[in-house]
Amino acid sequence: MAVHLVVVQGLWAILPAYASNMLATVVGGGAPVDGGRVWTDGRRVLGDGKTWRAVALAPLLAGLLGLGLHFVAPRAGMGVTDFGPAHWAFVHAYALALGALLGDMGASFVKRRLGKERGARWLGPDQYDFIAGALVLAFLISLITTPFVGYVWFLEAFTLGPLLVIMILTPALHLIVNGIGYLIGVKEVPW
Ligand code: CTP
Ligand code: MG
């Protein structure tokens, strides 16, 4: 299969995760998820960069975007995935989007334990935490939906080619998107 098609398929399938991560910076703010609490090491559990508003709103909006992608998929062609049968599409897209923020929060937890302040740079996890969280949660949820859907949606959408594309292109995309976020002022640091 032509490489450019695989690139489109990979980015298409993971878009709800990217969107959720990006939207979090836009809609985030207010009460922190950790409620300001500190861990046994005296440092914040997650920090002020992880807020309830982002967790509640970003996956919802990104899930709706996924639902939009789902209905556009047949017309888009190029072998892009839908998100399962219509009444499960939002569930699958939402799983990717929520998983992205959970992965991001898991990384913040570890960052704080390593003594890295909010916004400190952590090359590797900063680029991949949300992708890992998105893929893991979407896989688990699609195992749960399998009896209703009739197949494992995750394995249809994330075949080896698209997965490789996501792994290879994510660091570069992350850099570009966060650079733009920094320039337009929604992110405090460009990573
Ligand atoms: N954000 C949020 N809630 C989340 C994730 C992100 O409110 N669950 C918002 C915060 O305003 C955060 C910004 O999006 O500052 C950028 O997210 P991220 O880079 O993940 O957070 P950092 O501030 O860099 O904090 P950390 O060091 O914990 O990654
Ligand atoms: Mg960060």
Coordinates of all heavy atoms in Angstrom, one line a residue, residues 7-88:
V7 N 0.1 6.9 6.2 CA 0.3 8.1 7.0 C -1.1 8.7 7.3 O -1.4 9.0 8.5 CB 1.2 9.1 6.3 CG1 1.2 10.5 7.1 CG2 2.6 8.6 6.2
V8 N -1.9 8.9 6.3 CA -3.2 9.5 6.5 C -4.0 8.6 7.5 O -4.7 9.1 8.4 CB -4.0 9.6 5.2 CG1 -5.4 10.1 5.4 CG2 -3.3 10.7 4.3
Q9 N -4.0 7.3 7.3 CA -4.8 6.4 8.1 C -4.3 6.5 9.6 O -5.1 6.5 10.5 CB -4.6 4.9 7.6 CG -5.3 4.7 6.3 CD -4.8 3.4 5.6 OE1 -4.1 2.6 6.2 NE2 -5.2 3.2 4.4
G10 N -3.0 6.5 9.8 CA -2.5 6.6 11.2 C -2.9 7.9 11.9 O -3.4 7.8 13.0
L11 N -2.7 9.0 11.2 CA -3.0 10.3 11.8 C -4.5 10.4 12.1 O -4.9 11.0 13.1 CB -2.5 11.4 11.0 CG -0.9 11.5 10.8 CD1 -0.5 12.7 10.0 CD2 -0.3 11.5 12.2
W12 N -5.3 9.9 11.1 CA -6.7 10.0 11.2 C -7.2 9.2 12.5 O -8.0 9.8 13.3 CB -7.3 9.3 10.0 CG -8.8 9.2 10.0 CD1 -9.6 8.3 10.6 CD2 -9.7 10.1 9.3 NE1 -10.9 8.5 10.4 CE2 -11.0 9.6 9.5 CE3 -9.5 11.2 8.5 CZ2 -12.2 10.2 9.0 CZ3 -10.7 11.8 7.9 CH2 -12.0 11.3 8.2
A13 N -6.7 8.0 12.7 CA -7.2 7.2 13.8 C -6.8 7.8 15.1 O -7.5 7.6 16.1 CB -6.6 5.8 13.6
I14 N -5.7 8.4 15.2 CA -5.2 8.9 16.5 C -5.6 10.4 16.7 O -5.4 10.9 17.8 CB -3.6 8.8 16.6 CG1 -3.1 8.8 18.0 CG2 -2.9 9.9 15.8 CD1 -3.6 7.6 18.9
L15 N -6.3 11.0 15.8 CA -6.6 12.4 15.9 C -7.4 12.8 17.2 O -7.1 13.8 17.8 CB -7.4 12.8 14.7 CG -7.3 14.3 14.3 CD1 -5.9 14.7 14.0 CD2 -8.2 14.7 13.1
P16 N -8.3 11.9 17.6 CA -9.0 12.3 18.9 C -8.0 12.4 20.1 O -8.3 13.3 20.9 CB -10.0 11.1 19.1 CG -10.3 10.6 17.7 CD -9.0 10.8 17.0
A17 N -7.0 11.7 20.1 CA -6.0 11.8 21.1 C -5.2 13.1 21.0 O -5.0 13.8 22.0 CB -5.0 10.6 21.1
Y18 N -4.7 13.4 19.8 CA -4.0 14.6 19.6 C -4.9 15.8 20.0 O -4.5 16.8 20.7 CB -3.7 14.8 18.1 CG -2.4 14.1 17.6 CD1 -2.5 13.3 16.5 CD2 -1.2 14.2 18.3 CE1 -1.4 12.6 16.0 CE2 -0.1 13.5 17.8 CZ -0.2 12.7 16.7 OH 0.9 12.1 16.2
A19 N -6.2 15.8 19.5 CA -7.1 16.9 19.8 C -7.3 17.1 21.3 O -7.4 18.2 21.7 CB -8.4 16.6 19.0
S20 N -7.5 16.0 22.0 CA -7.7 16.0 23.4 C -6.6 16.7 24.1 O -6.7 17.6 25.0 CB -8.0 14.6 23.9 OG -8.3 14.6 25.3
N21 N -5.4 16.3 23.7 CA -4.1 16.9 24.3 C -4.0 18.4 24.0 O -3.7 19.2 24.9 CB -3.0 16.1 23.7 CG -1.7 16.2 24.6 OD1 -0.8 16.9 24.3 ND2 -1.8 15.5 25.8
M22 N -4.4 18.8 22.8 CA -4.3 20.2 22.4 C -5.4 21.0 23.1 O -5.2 22.1 23.6 CB -4.4 20.3 20.9 CG -3.2 19.8 20.1 SD -3.6 19.5 18.4 CE -4.1 21.1 17.8
L23 N -6.6 20.4 23.1 CA -7.7 21.1 23.7 C -7.5 21.3 25.2 O -8.0 22.3 25.8 CB -9.0 20.3 23.4 CG -9.6 20.5 22.0 CD1 -10.6 19.4 21.8 CD2 -10.2 21.8 21.8
A24 N -6.8 20.4 25.9 CA -6.6 20.5 27.3 C -5.9 21.8 27.6 O -6.2 22.5 28.6 CB -5.8 19.3 27.8
T25 N -5.0 22.2 26.8 CA -4.2 23.5 27.0 C -5.2 24.7 26.8 O -5.0 25.7 27.5 CB -3.0 23.7 26.1 OG1 -3.5 23.9 24.8 CG2 -2.1 22.4 26.1
V26 N -6.2 24.5 26.0 CA -7.1 25.7 25.7 C -8.2 25.8 26.7 O -8.5 26.9 27.2 CB -7.7 25.5 24.3 CG1 -8.7 26.6 24.0 CG2 -6.7 25.4 23.2
V27 N -8.8 24.6 27.1 CA -9.9 24.7 28.0 C -9.5 24.5 29.5 O -10.3 24.6 30.4 CB -11.0 23.6 27.7 CG1 -11.5 23.9 26.3 CG2 -10.5 22.2 27.8
G28 N -8.2 24.1 29.7 CA -7.8 23.8 31.1 C -7.7 25.1 31.9 O -7.8 26.2 31.5
G29 N -7.6 24.8 33.2 CA -7.6 25.9 34.2 C -8.5 25.6 35.4 O -9.3 24.7 35.3
G30 N -8.4 26.4 36.4 CA -9.2 26.2 37.6 C -8.7 25.1 38.5 O -7.5 24.9 38.6
A31 N -9.6 24.4 39.2 CA -9.2 23.5 40.2 C -8.4 22.4 39.7 O -8.7 21.7 38.8 CB -10.5 22.9 40.9
P32 N -7.2 22.1 40.4 CA -6.3 21.0 40.0 C -6.9 19.7 40.4 O -7.6 19.6 41.4 CB -5.0 21.3 40.7 CG -5.4 22.2 41.9 CD -6.6 22.9 41.5
V33 N -6.6 18.6 39.6 CA -7.1 17.3 39.9 C -6.7 16.8 41.2 O -7.4 16.1 41.9 CB -6.7 16.3 38.7 CG1 -7.1 14.9 39.1 CG2 -7.3 16.7 37.4
D34 N -5.5 17.1 41.6 CA -4.9 16.6 42.9 C -5.4 17.5 44.1 O -5.0 17.2 45.2 CB -3.4 16.5 42.8 CG -2.7 17.9 42.7 OD1 -3.4 18.9 42.9 OD2 -1.5 17.9 42.5
G35 N -6.3 18.5 43.8 CA -6.8 19.3 44.9 C -5.7 20.0 45.7 O -6.0 20.4 46.8
G36 N -4.6 20.2 45.1 CA -3.5 20.9 45.8 C -2.7 20.0 46.7 O -1.8 20.5 47.4
R37 N -3.1 18.7 46.8 CA -2.4 17.8 47.8 C -1.0 17.5 47.4 O -0.6 17.5 46.2 CB -3.2 16.5 47.9 CG -4.4 16.7 48.8 CD -5.2 15.4 49.0 NE -6.0 15.0 47.9 CZ -7.3 15.4 47.7 NH1 -7.8 16.1 48.7 NH2 -7.9 15.1 46.7
V38 N -0.2 17.2 48.4 CA 1.2 16.8 48.2 C 1.3 15.3 48.5 O 0.6 14.7 49.2 CB 2.2 17.6 49.0 CG1 2.2 19.0 48.6 CG2 1.9 17.4 50.5
W39 N 2.3 14.7 47.8 CA 2.6 13.2 48.0 C 3.5 13.1 49.2 O 3.9 14.1 49.9 CB 3.3 12.8 46.7 CG 3.5 11.3 46.6 CD1 4.6 10.6 46.6 CD2 2.4 10.3 46.3 NE1 4.4 9.2 46.4 CE2 3.0 9.1 46.2 CE3 1.0 10.4 46.2 CZ2 2.3 7.9 46.0 CZ3 0.3 9.2 46.0 CH2 1.0 8.0 45.9
T40 N 3.9 11.9 49.5 CA 4.7 11.6 50.7 C 6.1 12.3 50.6 O 6.8 12.5 51.6 CB 4.9 10.1 50.9 OG1 5.3 9.5 49.7 CG2 3.6 9.4 51.4
D41 N 6.5 12.6 49.4 CA 7.8 13.2 49.2 C 7.7 14.7 49.4 O 8.7 15.4 49.1 CB 8.4 12.8 47.8 CG 7.4 13.1 46.7 OD1 6.4 13.8 46.9 OD2 7.7 12.6 45.6
G42 N 6.5 15.2 49.7 CA 6.4 16.7 50.0 C 6.1 17.4 48.7 O 5.9 18.7 48.7
R43 N 6.2 16.8 47.5 CA 5.9 17.5 46.3 C 4.4 17.2 45.9 O 3.8 16.3 46.3 CB 6.8 17.0 45.2 CG 8.3 17.3 45.5 CD 9.2 16.8 44.4 NE 10.6 17.0 44.7 CZ 11.2 18.1 44.5 NH1 10.6 19.1 44.0 NH2 12.5 18.2 44.9
R44 N 3.9 18.1 45.0 CA 2.5 17.9 44.5 C 2.3 16.6 43.9 O 3.2 16.0 43.2 CB 2.2 19.0 43.5 CG 2.0 20.4 44.2 CD 0.7 20.5 44.9 NE -0.4 20.4 44.0 CZ -0.9 21.5 43.3 NH1 -0.3 22.7 43.5 NH2 -1.9 21.3 42.5
V45 N 1.1 16.0 44.1 CA 0.8 14.7 43.5 C 0.9 14.8 41.9 O 1.6 14.0 41.3 CB -0.6 14.3 43.9 CG1 -1.0 12.9 43.2 CG2 -0.7 14.1 45.4
L46 N 0.2 15.8 41.4 CA 0.2 16.0 39.9 C 0.7 17.4 39.5 O 1.3 17.6 38.5 CB -1.2 15.8 39.3 CG -1.8 14.4 39.5 CD1 -3.2 14.3 39.0 CD2 -1.0 13.3 38.8
G47 N 0.2 18.4 40.3 CA 0.6 19.8 40.0 C -0.6 20.6 39.4 O -1.6 20.0 39.1
D48 N -0.4 21.9 39.3 CA -1.4 22.8 38.9 C -1.7 22.7 37.4 O -2.6 23.3 36.9 CB -1.0 24.3 39.2 CG -1.3 24.6 40.7 OD1 -2.2 23.9 41.3 OD2 -0.6 25.4 41.3
G49 N -0.8 22.0 36.6 CA -1.0 21.8 35.2 C -2.0 20.8 34.8 O -2.3 20.6 33.6
K50 N -2.6 20.1 35.8 CA -3.6 19.0 35.5 C -4.9 19.4 36.2 O -5.0 19.3 37.4 CB -3.1 17.7 36.0 CG -1.7 17.3 35.6 CD -1.6 17.0 34.1 CE -0.5 17.9 33.5 NZ 0.0 17.5 32.2
T51 N -5.9 19.9 35.4 CA -7.1 20.5 36.0 C -8.3 19.7 35.6 O -8.4 19.1 34.5 CB -7.3 21.9 35.6 OG1 -7.5 22.0 34.2 CG2 -6.0 22.8 35.9
W52 N -9.4 19.7 36.5 CA -10.6 19.0 36.2 C -11.3 19.5 35.0 O -11.9 18.7 34.3 CB -11.6 19.2 37.4 CG -11.2 18.4 38.6 CD1 -10.8 18.8 39.9 CD2 -11.2 16.9 38.7 NE1 -10.6 17.7 40.7 CE2 -10.8 16.6 40.0 CE3 -11.5 15.9 37.8 CZ2 -10.7 15.2 40.4 CZ3 -11.4 14.6 38.2 CH2 -11.0 14.3 39.5
R53 N -11.2 20.8 34.8 CA -11.9 21.4 33.6 C -11.4 20.8 32.3 O -12.2 20.4 31.4 CB -11.8 22.9 33.6 CG -12.9 23.6 32.8 CD -13.0 25.1 33.3 NE -11.9 25.9 32.7 CZ -11.5 27.0 33.3 NH1 -12.0 27.4 34.4 NH2 -10.5 27.6 32.7
A54 N -10.1 20.6 32.2 CA -9.5 20.0 31.0 C -9.9 18.5 30.9 O -10.3 18.0 29.8 CB -8.0 20.1 31.0
V55 N -9.9 17.8 32.0 CA -10.3 16.4 32.0 C -11.7 16.2 31.6 O -12.1 15.2 30.9 CB -10.0 15.7 33.4 CG1 -10.4 14.3 33.4 CG2 -8.5 15.8 33.7
A56 N -12.6 17.1 32.1 CA -14.0 17.0 31.8 C -14.3 17.4 30.3 O -15.1 16.7 29.7 CB -14.8 17.8 32.8
L57 N -13.7 18.5 29.9 CA -14.1 19.1 28.6 C -13.4 18.6 27.4 O -13.9 18.3 26.3 CB -14.0 20.6 28.7 CG -15.1 21.3 29.6 CD1 -14.8 22.8 29.6 CD2 -16.5 21.0 29.1
A58 N -12.0 18.5 27.5 CA -11.2 18.1 26.4 C -11.6 16.8 25.7 O -11.8 16.7 24.5 CB -9.7 18.2 26.7
P59 N -11.7 15.7 26.5 CA -12.1 14.4 25.9 C -13.5 14.5 25.3 O -13.7 13.8 24.3 CB -12.0 13.4 27.1 CG -11.1 14.1 28.1 CD -11.4 15.6 28.0
L60 N -14.4 15.2 25.9 CA -15.7 15.3 25.4 C -15.7 16.0 24.0 O -16.3 15.5 23.1 CB -16.6 16.2 26.4 CG -18.1 16.2 26.2 CD1 -18.6 14.8 26.5 CD2 -18.7 17.2 27.1
L61 N -15.0 17.1 23.9 CA -14.9 17.8 22.6 C -14.2 16.9 21.6 O -14.6 16.9 20.4 CB -14.2 19.1 22.8 CG -15.0 20.2 23.7 CD1 -14.1 21.4 24.0 CD2 -16.2 20.6 23.0
A62 N -13.1 16.3 22.0 CA -12.3 15.5 21.1 C -13.1 14.3 20.7 O -13.0 13.8 19.6 CB -11.0 15.1 21.7
G63 N -13.9 13.7 21.6 CA -14.8 12.6 21.3 C -15.8 13.0 20.2 O -16.1 12.2 19.3
L64 N -16.3 14.2 20.3 CA -17.3 14.7 19.3 C -16.6 14.9 18.0 O -17.2 14.6 16.9 CB -17.9 16.0 19.8 CG -18.9 15.8 21.0 CD1 -19.4 17.2 21.5 CD2 -20.1 15.0 20.6
L65 N -15.4 15.3 18.0 CA -14.6 15.5 16.8 C -14.5 14.1 16.2 O -14.6 13.9 14.9 CB -13.2 16.1 17.1 CG -12.2 16.0 15.9 CD1 -12.6 17.1 14.9 CD2 -10.8 16.1 16.4
G66 N -14.2 13.1 17.0 CA -14.0 11.7 16.5 C -15.3 11.2 15.9 O -15.3 10.5 14.8
L67 N -16.4 11.6 16.5 CA -17.8 11.2 15.9 C -17.9 11.9 14.5 O -18.4 11.2 13.6 CB -18.9 11.7 16.9 CG -20.3 11.1 16.7 CD1 -20.2 9.6 16.8 CD2 -21.2 11.7 17.7
G68 N -17.5 13.1 14.4 CA -17.5 13.8 13.1 C -16.6 13.0 12.1 O -17.0 12.7 11.0
L69 N -15.4 12.6 12.5 CA -14.5 11.8 11.6 C -15.2 10.5 11.2 O -15.1 10.1 10.1 CB -13.2 11.5 12.4 CG -12.2 12.7 12.7 CD1 -11.1 12.1 13.5 CD2 -11.8 13.3 11.4
H70 N -15.9 9.9 12.2 CA -16.6 8.7 11.9 C -17.5 8.8 10.7 O -17.5 7.9 9.8 CB -17.3 8.2 13.1 CG -18.2 7.1 12.9 ND1 -17.8 5.8 12.9 CD2 -19.5 7.0 12.6 CE1 -18.8 5.0 12.7 NE2 -19.8 5.7 12.5
F71 N -18.3 9.8 10.7 CA -19.3 10.0 9.6 C -18.7 10.5 8.3 O -19.2 10.2 7.3 CB -20.4 10.9 10.1 CG -21.3 10.3 11.1 CD1 -21.3 10.7 12.5 CD2 -22.0 9.1 10.8 CE1 -22.1 10.1 13.4 CE2 -22.8 8.5 11.8 CZ -22.8 9.0 13.1
V72 N -17.5 11.1 8.4 CA -16.8 11.6 7.2 C -16.0 10.4 6.6 O -15.8 10.4 5.4 CB -15.9 12.8 7.5 CG1 -15.1 13.2 6.3 CG2 -16.8 13.9 8.0
A73 N -15.6 9.4 7.4 CA -14.7 8.4 6.9 C -15.1 7.7 5.6 O -14.2 7.6 4.7 CB -14.5 7.4 8.0
P74 N -16.3 7.3 5.4 CA -16.7 6.6 4.2 C -16.4 7.5 3.0 O -16.1 7.0 1.9 CB -18.2 6.3 4.3 CG -18.4 6.4 5.8 CD -17.5 7.4 6.4
R75 N -16.7 8.8 3.1 CA -16.5 9.7 2.0 C -15.0 10.1 1.8 O -14.6 10.5 0.7 CB -17.4 11.0 2.2 CG -18.7 10.9 1.4 CD -19.7 11.8 2.0 NE -20.2 11.4 3.3 CZ -20.8 12.1 4.2 NH1 -21.1 13.4 3.9 NH2 -21.3 11.6 5.3
A76 N -14.3 10.1 2.9 CA -12.9 10.5 2.8 C -12.1 9.5 2.0 O -11.0 9.8 1.4 CB -12.3 10.6 4.2
G77 N -12.5 8.2 2.0 CA -11.8 7.2 1.3 C -10.4 6.9 1.9 O -10.2 7.0 3.1
M78 N -9.5 6.6 1.1 CA -8.1 6.4 1.5 C -7.9 5.3 2.6 O -6.8 5.2 3.2 CB -7.5 7.7 2.0 CG -7.4 8.8 0.9 SD -6.6 10.3 1.5 CE -7.8 11.0 2.5
G79 N -8.9 4.6 2.8 CA -8.8 3.5 3.8 C -8.8 3.9 5.2 O -8.5 3.2 6.1
V80 N -9.3 5.2 5.5 CA -9.3 5.7 6.9 C -10.4 4.9 7.6 O -11.4 4.5 7.1 CB -9.5 7.2 7.0 CG1 -8.3 8.0 6.4 CG2 -10.8 7.6 6.3
T81 N -10.1 4.8 8.9 CA -11.0 4.0 9.8 C -12.2 4.8 10.1 O -12.2 6.0 10.3 CB -10.3 3.5 11.1 OG1 -11.2 2.7 11.8 CG2 -10.0 4.7 11.9
D82 N -13.4 4.1 10.3 CA -14.5 4.8 11.0 C -14.2 4.4 12.5 O -13.1 3.8 12.8 CB -15.8 4.3 10.6 CG -16.0 2.8 10.7 OD1 -15.2 2.1 11.4 OD2 -16.9 2.2 10.0
F83 N -15.0 4.7 13.4 CA -14.7 4.4 14.8 C -15.6 3.3 15.3 O -16.1 3.3 16.5 CB -14.8 5.7 15.7 CG -13.6 6.6 15.4 CD1 -13.5 7.4 14.2 CD2 -12.5 6.6 16.2 CE1 -12.4 8.2 14.0 CE2 -11.3 7.3 15.9 CZ -11.3 8.1 14.8
G84 N -15.9 2.3 14.5 CA -16.8 1.2 14.8 C -18.2 1.5 14.3 O -18.4 2.5 13.6
P85 N -19.2 0.6 14.7 CA -20.6 0.9 14.4 C -21.0 2.3 15.0 O -20.5 2.7 16.0 CB -21.3 -0.2 15.1 CG -20.3 -1.3 15.3 CD -19.0 -0.6 15.5
A86 N -21.9 2.9 14.3 CA -22.3 4.3 14.6 C -22.5 4.6 16.1 O -22.0 5.5 16.6 CB -23.5 4.8 13.8
H87 N -23.3 3.7 16.8 CA -23.6 4.0 18.2 C -22.4 3.6 19.1 O -22.6 3.9 20.3 CB -24.9 3.3 18.6 CG -25.1 1.9 18.1 ND1 -25.3 1.6 16.8 CD2 -25.0 0.7 18.8 CE1 -25.4 0.3 16.7 NE2 -25.2 -0.3 17.8
W88 N -21.3 3.1 18.6 CA -20.2 2.9 19.4 C -19.0 3.9 19.1 O -18.0 3.9 19.7 CB -19.7 1.5 19.3 CG -20.6 0.5 20.0 CD1 -21.5 -0.3 19.3 CD2 -20.9 0.3 21.4 NE1 -22.3 -1.0 20.2 CE2 -21.9 -0.6 21.5 CE3 -20.3 0.9 22.5 CZ2 -22.4 -1.1 22.7 CZ3 -20.7 0.4 23.8 CH2 -21.8 -0.5 23.9

